[in-house]
Amino acid sequence: MLLYNNRISGNCYKVRLLLAHLGTTYETRDVDVIDRTNPREELADLNPARRIPTVVLDDGRALGESNAILWYFGEGTRFVPADRYDRAKVLQWMFFEQYEHEPAIAVARFLKTYYGKPDVWESQREQLTKRGIKALRALDDGLGGHDWLVGETMTIADFALYAYTHAADEAGLSLDDYPDVRAWVARVASQPGHVPI
């Protein structure tokens, strides 16, 4: 199996983290996320959006979008609940991650820490910070003293949201005001099979 990957991408990290927990072996091919002039021709026939992560399975089929990849590899494992309602709750958190959380925290992290154009970061800092705070508050409220986002064990929803949450400082956001998020981040990082970004 081949993973089109970038080491700084939280979306790629989600996939690497789940695969590490599952003990799945794979190869990687690095794709630049800084140079936006690259048309990513190598992904043209694999993923219509030409985004990473994209995986090419052993049988040659390709799959893109980080949370779809998490679902594919998580299904049938302990990381996707058997209960129908709990599976829907996992999806609820994964949609929240892509719609509310990632567009704020991941974008802020990229612009502040990796893009290399401080003027672009400064022009969007206030708006992205407000959105990031709102997302972290919702995550803290959603955890509400629970160990995991859904049910009594870690699910792919936790993988999806951990990736950028644990790196919020690189987005200029502190977790100091979110005690349940801080405890959860530490809990995820302490699990057997954990690998750093």
Side-chain angles (χ1 to χ4, degrees), residues 99-174:
Y99 186 71
E100 296 287 339
H101 185 278
E102 195 264 1
I105 297 174
V107 172
R109 175 180 177 259
F110 176 77
L111 293 178
K112 181 180 187 299
T113 305
Y114 297 102
Y115 194 45
K117 296 183 180 180
D119 54 322
V120 176
W121 161 241
E122 283 303 320
S123 72
Q124 297 185 47
R125 181 172 57 86
E126 183 177 354
Q127 174 200 11
L128 289 171
T129 299
K130 284 180 183 175
R131 290 182 70 192
I133 289 169
K134 180 181 175 188
L136 289 172
R137 189 174 297 125
L139 181 59
D140 200 63
D141 290 346
L143 282 161
H146 299 286
D147 286 350
W148 306 108
L149 288 167
V150 179
E152 301 301 317
T153 61
M154 189 162 71
T155 68
I156 57 174
D158 297 289
F159 290 102
L161 279 149
Y162 175 81
Y164 285 112
T165 301
H166 91 287
D169 61 321
E170 292 184 346
L173 295 162
S174 170

Side-chain angles (χ1 to χ4, degrees), residues 86-100:
D86 286 346
R87 284 196 313 275
K89 291 292 283 187
V90 166
L91 288 171
Q92 174 185 306
W93 278 113
M94 293 172 81
F95 294 145
F96 163 81
E97 188 268 342
Q98 283 292 287
Y99 186 71
E100 296 287 339

Side-chain angles (χ1 to χ4, degrees), residues 26-46:
Y26 59 96
E27 296 177 17
T28 60
R29 186 166 300 154
D30 286 337
V31 176
D32 191 346
V33 295
I34 307 293
D35 179 6
R36 298 298 175 139
T37 63
N38 176 356
R40 298 182 177 179
E41 291 299 333
E42 71 272 30
L43 294 173
D45 294 331
L46 303 173

